[in-house]
């Protein structure tokens, strides 16, 4: 009797082992479906990294982080545009940026590399624009003057 029991348990163990191995030993095929734009974006990124890094006149250089001064915010679009035009009349050389985050529009100005530069502008604007804040965000570096002393002669 013990031999029959031993054979049954051995046979059961072997069949369970066989079923387990066949259950986990599956072979399959993976199909990758992707948008063709991904390849073009990768190619463009590689092209950007391969550029020589020369500076082109009149084009802004995107730098990392800097500071901008928020001069106005509100939900009335007309008032936001009026404040932007008012600022551009006072400081035509500084860039202005409008952003919208529901329910408000925000007018931010300048591309300052240091917080001190932004604070100087705030000190000038305090009498004209009452709600001023400094924000740290990605800025556009100012355009470079690429003329040399030999070009000016």
């Amino acid at each position: 009797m013990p031999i029959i029991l031993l054979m049954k348990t051995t046979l059961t163990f072997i069949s369970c082992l066989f079923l387990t191995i066949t259950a986990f030993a599956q072979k399959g095929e993976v199909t990758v479906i992707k948008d063709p734009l991904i390849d073009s974006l990768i190619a463009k990124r590689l092209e950007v990294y391969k550029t020589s890094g020369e500076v082109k006149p009149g084009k802004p250089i995107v730098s990392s982080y800097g500071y901008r001064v928020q001069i106005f915010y509100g939900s009335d679009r007309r008032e936001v545009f009026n404040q932007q035009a008012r600022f551009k009349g006072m400081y035509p050389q500084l860039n202005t940026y409008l952003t919208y985050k529901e329910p408000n529009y925000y007018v931010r100005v300048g591309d300052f590399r240091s917080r001190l530069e932004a604070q100087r502008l705030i000190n000038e604007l305090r009498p004209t624009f009452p709600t001023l804040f400094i924000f740290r965000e990605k800025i556009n570096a100012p355009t470079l003057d690429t003329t040399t002393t030999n070009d000016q002669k």
Side-chain angles (χ1 to χ4, degrees):
M1 196 72 150
I3 293 180
I4 294 176
L5 186 61
L6 182 63
M7 287 178 59
K8 279 186 178 181
T9 56
T10 306
L11 187 58
T12 307
F13 177 75
I14 291 174
S15 61
C16 286
L17 185 63
F18 178 73
L19 289 174
T20 305
I21 290 172
T22 56
F24 288 111
Q26 297 175 0
K27 292 186 179 181
E29 187 175 306
V30 176
T31 306
V32 177
I33 301 171
K34 66 178 178 175
D35 194 343
L37 290 176
I38 292 175
D39 290 331
S40 66
L41 287 173
I42 291 171
K44 284 181 183 179
R45 184 166 213 151
L46 289 173
E47 185 179 317
V48 167
Y49 283 131
K50 289 180 185 176
T51 58
S52 63
E54 69 182 69
V55 177
K56 296 179 180 155
K59 291 237 177 184
I61 303 168
V62 177
S63 68
S64 58
Y65 282 88
Y67 298 91
R68 289 197 176 127
V69 176
Q70 181 173 297
I71 60 168
F72 185 79
Y73 69 94
S75 58
D76 184 10
R77 240 174 100 172
R78 288 186 193 139
E79 184 61 26
V80 169
F81 288 125
N82 288 340
Q83 294 297 328
Q84 182 187 25
R86 187 171 129 204
F87 179 83
K88 281 305 263 183
M90 295 169 60
Y91 297 91
Q93 74 278 9
L94 291 177
N95 293 330
T96 60
Y97 303 93
L98 287 178
T99 55
Y100 177 71
K101 292 180 187 169
E102 195 172 340
N104 291 320
Y105 292 90
Y106 300 91
V107 181
R108 294 183 182 166
V109 299
D111 292 307
F112 303 109
R113 292 182 186 212
S114 71
R115 189 175 181 89
L116 182 63
E117 293 176 77
Q119 188 61 48
R120 285 184 190 137
L121 180 66
I122 281 184
N123 294 340
E124 287 180 37
L125 293 176
R126 182 89 44 211
T128 313
F129 296 94
T131 56
L132 299 170
F133 299 100
I134 296 175
F135 285 90
R136 186 171 190 264
E137 56 189 38
K138 277 201 170 210
I139 62 167
N140 297 320
T143 55
L144 297 176
D145 182 16
T146 57
T147 59
T148 62
T149 55
N150 293 338
D151 293 343
Q152 293 175 353
K153 289 182 182 178

